[in-house]
Amino acid sequence: MATAATPSVAGPAARDRLRRAGALAPVLAVIALLLVPGGGRAQGGTGGTGTVADAASGLLVLICLVRVVRGGARPLTRTAAVVLGLPVLGICLAAITSNDPASSLPGVARYVQVFVLVPAAVLLTVRDRRDFAVVAWTLVGLALFQGAVGVAQYLTGTGASYQGEDIRAVGTFGATDVMGMATVVSYGLVVVTGIALGSGPGRARTAALVCAGLLFLPLVLSFSRGAWIATVLACALQLVLAGPLRAVRVGLAAGALGVVLVGGLGIGSDLVEQRVASITRVTAAPDQSVTDRYTMWAAAGEMWRAEPLTGVGLKGFPQYRDAHASVALSSGSDTAGAGAAFQRQPLLSPHNMYLLVLSEQGLLGLLALVGSWSALVVGALRGCRVNSGPGSGSGPVSGADCALVATGLLVWQLVDFFYADIGGPSTVLMSVVLGLAAWWSLVGARRA
């Protein structure tokens, strides 16, 4: 009798796992396909790369659309539709008022894909905290793989060129997208920090701590100043939200780990120290990358002052850059290493998402985008308050875990946008991350 009853119990559970895997497969495919080395250039701004992951994101949107049509029910709440759809207003207005509307159309497609369609598709695909956990741990898996490749590149001298040596960890993204691996590893580190500080199962928290230790080193070896700053601030906020005592304990542990890896073992310590010092070296002998960044920021500000409400139009920054930039701007950045020959990478964006939107979409476009993101942050923080403590649900991740992960990812992205913008193969992963966080902010926090 007991033997006969086993299939009846395991059968529905197995079928449920298969259905869940099938439903999440399009989202997981987008993440997994970022393991494929990109062959396109890491263009900034509204430039696309045409990677297989981008194609998979389009398939994800199409599959989600078919599901919605077949379901027949209203897929999004009114609040979710307004929050996710708000950026469309600024995007379309900037395209209509552009001096060259035809050249702005690709920018419309890219912005809508990145900030509206893919996040909405992820939100509609994720059904509960178990799905949230699957996607989050898949992000961690991608981060571990890219981080391992990056560390190997540093140790073997096969990474991207940095100060004359091929030691910069870039993973499979190559020398033309040096921010790709740093972004992926940062996402993974923020995810495992949230899970380690949450109230989920003990085994999950232990695994998260181990993964955090493994991801720390490749983030350091990425030599990405923006990723460092965003990760420190996002994880610090997670620590504060998790409680002051836990924040002190984990902060001391993280500090000790950093001293051992970078100081005690001497892994890139001199180069890291120089890179950190360069963050604030703006007037006293700054390096050329810092000079270029601030020069492009100033050019973006000049474009906005010329067209304050609607900007110069999508994809307009490269066209108007030289007319507004000072002579301090170089013709491009040098890229080499990681299997690529030396080349000059053109500077096509200000490497600041807020200034890029302000210059190309004006104040109206910036308010629309920032308003959408702010609503997501408010929802995530509200979820932190409601789902704090051990009584926030059972399962692979608790409500507190989801709240800390979603809040950390959103804060990381919004801080990183001060030093980066969209462009490159990792952009589509940012869309998935925004969709995952949007699910918690707009749907999950109310269900947990």
Side-chain angles (χ1 to χ4, degrees):
M1 297 290 292
T3 303
T6 301
S8 64
V9 175
R15 287 194 295 270
D16 179 69
R17 286 194 294 270
L18 287 174
R19 285 195 298 268
R20 188 178 296 273
L24 286 177
V27 177
L28 302 183
V30 175
I31 300 174
L33 287 173
L34 282 168
L35 295 173
V36 179
R41 293 177 298 169
Q43 297 179 2
T46 53
T49 56
T51 64
V52 289
D54 278 306
S57 72
L59 184 61
L60 165 64
V61 173
L62 181 61
I63 292 174
C64 188
L65 179 62
V66 171
R67 289 175 179 172
V68 168
V69 172
R70 291 180 61 183
R74 187 172 67 180
L76 296 173
T77 65
R78 186 174 302 173
T79 300
V82 170
V83 170
L84 292 178
L86 189 59
V88 176
L89 298 178
I91 294 169
C92 293
L93 185 60
I96 294 172
T97 58
S98 171
N99 292 328
D100 188 1
S103 65
S104 295
L105 288 180
V108 174
R110 185 62 167 167
Y111 269 104
V112 172
Q113 172 207 5
V114 169
F115 293 117
V116 182
L117 294 181
V118 175
V122 174
L123 182 150
L124 293 172
T125 302
V126 175
R127 297 171 298 176
D128 51 30
R129 285 187 284 115
R130 189 176 297 275
D131 284 354
F132 186 100
V134 172
V135 178
W137 278 108
T138 304
L139 287 172
V140 175
L142 175 65
L144 289 171
F145 178 86
Q146 293 288 356
V149 174
V151 172
Q153 289 171 333
Y154 175 85
L155 295 176
T156 59
T158 56
S161 179
Y162 180 74
Q163 294 192 359
E165 300 180 74
D166 293 343
I167 57 172
R168 188 169 190 175
V170 293
T172 64
F173 293 97
T176 57
D177 186 17
V178 294
M179 280 293 296
M181 189 214 73
T183 298
V184 172
V185 170
S186 298
Y187 286 152
L189 191 53
V190 170
V191 168
V192 294
T193 300
I195 294 174
L197 294 172
S199 57
R203 286 181 298 179
R205 295 203 303 272
T206 301
L209 283 173
V210 172
C211 292
L214 294 174
L215 291 173
F216 177 81
L217 184 57
L219 178 61
V220 171
L221 298 179
S222 71
F223 298 108
S224 174
R225 294 167 293 200
W228 291 347
I229 294 172
T231 303
V232 168
L233 293 180
C235 292
L237 177 61
Q238 289 176 312
L239 287 169
V240 172
L241 293 174
L245 292 179
R246 184 173 293 181
V248 171
R249 290 197 299 268
V250 177
L252 290 175
L257 178 63
V259 170
V260 170
L261 290 177
V262 179
L265 299 180
I267 300 178
S269 56
D270 293 337
L271 294 174
V272 171
E273 182 180 352
Q274 295 172 16
R275 193 66 166 170
V276 171
S278 70
I279 295 175
T280 56
R281 196 181 300 133
V282 181
T283 58
D287 60 40
Q288 187 59 48
S289 65
V290 174
T291 300
D292 286 340
R293 185 179 301 270
Y294 285 101
T295 301
M296 289 189 294
W297 286 8
E302 291 294 331
M303 293 180 201
W304 169 66
R305 279 185 283 273
E307 298 288 345
L309 288 181
T310 58
V312 297
L314 296 175
K315 296 181 71 66
F317 184 89
Q319 178 182 353
Y320 291 91
R321 182 199 63 183
D322 293 340
H324 294 278
S326 70
V327 294
L329 182 66
S330 66
S331 60
S333 60
D334 298 340
T335 61
F342 173 84
Q343 59 178 304
R344 295 284 289 174
Q345 190 75 14
L347 302 175
L348 302 178
S349 73
H351 296 294
N352 179 306
M353 191 67 208
Y354 304 104
L355 290 177
L356 175 64
V357 174
L358 189 64
S359 63
E360 293 189 342
Q361 300 182 40
L363 187 60
L364 295 179
L366 182 64
L367 289 177
L369 266 176
V370 173
S372 175
W373 299 336
S374 300
L376 294 180
V377 173
V378 170
L381 289 172
R382 185 182 297 117
C384 285
R385 186 181 68 252
V386 173
N387 294 275
S388 60
S392 57
S394 59
V397 291
S398 66
D401 296 348
C402 294
L404 290 172
V405 169
T407 303
L409 289 173
L410 284 171
V411 170
W412 186 95
Q413 194 61 67
L414 296 184
V415 173
D416 184 69
F417 273 158
F418 283 102
Y419 303 92
D421 48 52
I422 60 174
S426 60
T427 297
V428 70
L429 185 64
M430 181 206 68
S431 300
V432 173
V433 165
L434 287 178
L436 190 66
W439 175 83
W440 172 255
S441 298
L442 300 172
V443 179
R446 302 176 183 179
R447 297 179 181 174

